[in-house]
Amino acid sequence: SEIRAVFEEWENKTPGFTYKRKQDYWHTEGNFDFFGIMSAERRAAWRFQFFTRAFAAGIRKVIIMDASLPEQVAVRAYIQALPNPFPMLPATSQVKIIQGRVVAFRHPREGKNGQVWIVWTQANRGDALIEIPVQKKQVEIVSVDGKKRLMVTPNNRLRVTLKGDAKMAPPLLILD
């Protein structure tokens, strides 16, 4: 509020000075593990989760710092799968949870049929088994290590096991 007041004061006392108000939010410090306590793999899993949560909250630009090689791989995989991640919609209620505790988001693919799902288990809740409604007969699954695999989806349902973790479960991107 103090910074906003400085800008508003400047705007109001300078005749003829106008600018388009900023409608975008940026997050410029995307590294939460400043002490390096978590493994590089867990920090890579955090990137998928962090990006997804940030975009769902309306943050338009997310900048990360000091990324390890596994984190760089995760960021590259995420950006390749979702070059324009808006809108990012909460979707846990749209996923059938057979076992475990899960977080799910989805992005309707612009100009394409289908969606991109981002799913992971809640921390310290073990593995999970879920079923996701899909539109295509085959989907691509992208993991935080950048690996991709194709899966056949009988009856337009994808059944997938999500690996749990005590601290930071690795999400999957599912491109339908």
Side-chain angles (χ1 to χ4, degrees):
S1 64
E2 291 173 15
I3 293 170
R4 184 180 297 121
V6 169
F7 278 94
E8 287 175 356
E9 179 184 356
W10 178 263
E11 178 184 7
N12 294 332
K13 80 177 185 184
T14 307
F17 178 73
T18 61
Y19 62 94
K20 184 178 178 185
R21 285 218 168 260
K22 200 171 246 196
Q23 299 298 311
D24 296 342
Y25 292 98
W26 288 30
H27 186 292
T28 60
E29 302 289 334
N31 189 4
F32 78 101
D33 183 21
F34 297 107
F35 297 113
I37 295 170
M38 295 184 86
S39 69
E41 291 74 25
R42 281 180 170 159
R43 288 192 313 270
W46 166 245
R47 297 300 178 195
F48 270 32
Q49 289 189 25
F50 171 65
F51 280 12
T52 303
R53 288 178 172 135
F55 297 140
I59 295 174
R60 303 301 286 182
K61 303 235 183 211
V62 178
I63 300 169
I64 60 169
M65 53 190 251
D66 304 326
S68 66
L69 183 58
E71 290 171 280
Q72 292 173 29
V73 169
V75 169
R76 186 176 303 110
Y78 195 98
I79 292 169
Q80 286 175 344
L82 275 169
N84 178 11
F86 302 101
M88 184 63 67
L89 307 169
T92 303
S93 64
Q94 298 168 20
V95 172
K96 181 178 179 183
I97 301 171
I98 299 165
Q99 171 196 335
R101 304 277 306 251
V102 175
V103 177
F105 289 85
R106 68 178 179 80
H107 166 67
R109 296 179 88 175
E110 189 174 312
K112 299 179 182 179
N113 291 333
Q115 305 180 75
V116 176
W117 294 85
I118 304 95
V119 293
W120 64 86
T121 63
Q122 292 180 3
N124 205 26
R125 297 291 185 158
D127 294 348
L129 178 63
I130 62 172
E131 202 171 80
I132 298 173
V134 295
Q135 295 177 13
K136 296 183 180 172
K137 300 289 181 201
Q138 180 173 287
V139 297
E140 182 176 40
I141 299 177
V142 181
S143 57
V144 295
D145 60 7
K147 293 181 180 169
K148 299 174 182 178
R149 62 187 163 118
L150 297 175
M151 284 192 68
V152 175
T153 56
N155 302 321
N156 296 91
R157 308 290 294 172
L158 171 68
R159 188 174 276 211
V160 65
T161 300
L162 301 171
K163 185 178 180 219
D165 187 87
K167 305 253 183 228
M168 195 65 58
L172 294 176
L173 289 172
I174 299 161
L175 286 69
D176 176 19

